[in-house]
Amino acid sequence: MLLHYFSALAVSFFVSMVPLIELRGAIPIGVGMVQVSDGNVPLSFMIALYVVCILGNMLPVPVIYFFARKFLVWGSDKKYIGGICSFFLEKGNKAGRKLSEKAGRGLFFALFLFVGIPLPGTGAWTGTLAASLLDMEGKKTALAVMSGVILAGVIMMSVSFLGASAAGRF
């Protein structure tokens, strides 16, 4: 039983690092893995899952902030990776422009909401890349993204809890 909880946490940790899926997908996956195995999800597991998914989602943020733009610009004209690099560079630029236009001086709060509201393509990866492309300060970026990931985690835990409760699993 304990091994199953650990494997669900490990899978969720790694899934939370995957772009576009991130914590938004990792939390329901972890809850689902435990639900299927023993029929209920202990509160202690939910708390551990929340922390593990936040850590996994935040782990790539410094790498994205410092290196993603450089890599994407470098790779955008390369034969095999040019298409995907151009796609992510365009997506980050578009998200950055959109944030900047709507937010004005409230860019920190806009980035927080952009990352915190769990919609497809609005997670820590895209938010950090957008902040990097907008030359937002590193500390402010990290704080806004971390706060957004925490908010997204609360939302996803609530949705997962309600879904599991409705299924009679808590």
Side-chain angles (χ1 to χ4, degrees):
M1 180 81 70
L2 189 59
L3 183 60
H4 186 70
Y5 290 151
F6 179 76
S7 64
L9 290 173
V11 166
S12 297
F13 176 77
F14 289 111
V15 168
S16 68
M17 287 191 273
V18 175
L20 301 175
I21 299 173
E22 302 184 31
L23 167 138
R24 295 146 168 70
I27 288 175
I29 287 171
V31 170
M33 286 177 69
V34 170
Q35 263 185 327
V36 168
S37 71
D38 64 358
N40 64 5
V41 183
L43 181 59
S44 58
F45 173 79
M46 292 293 281
I47 293 168
L49 179 65
Y50 178 73
V51 171
V52 162
C53 287
I54 288 173
L55 292 174
N57 203 175
M58 288 303 295
L59 194 61
V61 166
V63 175
I64 297 164
Y65 183 80
F66 290 112
F67 301 111
R69 176 173 41 174
K70 292 174 186 172
F71 174 78
L72 293 174
V73 168
W74 170 84
S76 62
D77 64 348
K78 303 299 183 256
K79 183 176 180 179
Y80 296 107
I81 61 171
I84 193 75
C85 286
S86 295
F87 169 78
F88 282 117
L89 197 55
E90 183 180 318
K91 185 170 178 58
N93 275 321
K94 185 178 175 184
R97 282 192 308 273
K98 193 174 181 179
L99 272 176
S100 165
E101 289 168 6
K102 289 187 176 184
R105 292 176 38 106
L107 189 57
F108 177 89
F109 189 68
L111 181 59
F112 159 70
L113 289 178
F114 180 82
V115 174
I117 298 173
L119 297 171
T122 64
W125 280 74
T126 307
T128 303
L129 179 59
S132 171
L133 294 171
L134 290 170
D135 293 320
M136 192 171 167
E137 182 190 347
K139 289 179 185 177
K140 285 184 178 179
T141 298
L143 186 58
V145 170
M146 176 74 149
S147 300
V149 167
I150 289 169
L151 174 61
V154 167
I155 293 169
M156 292 309 300
M157 289 298 283
S158 300
V159 168
S160 296
F161 180 80
L162 291 173
S165 293
R169 304 292 186 178
F170 273 96

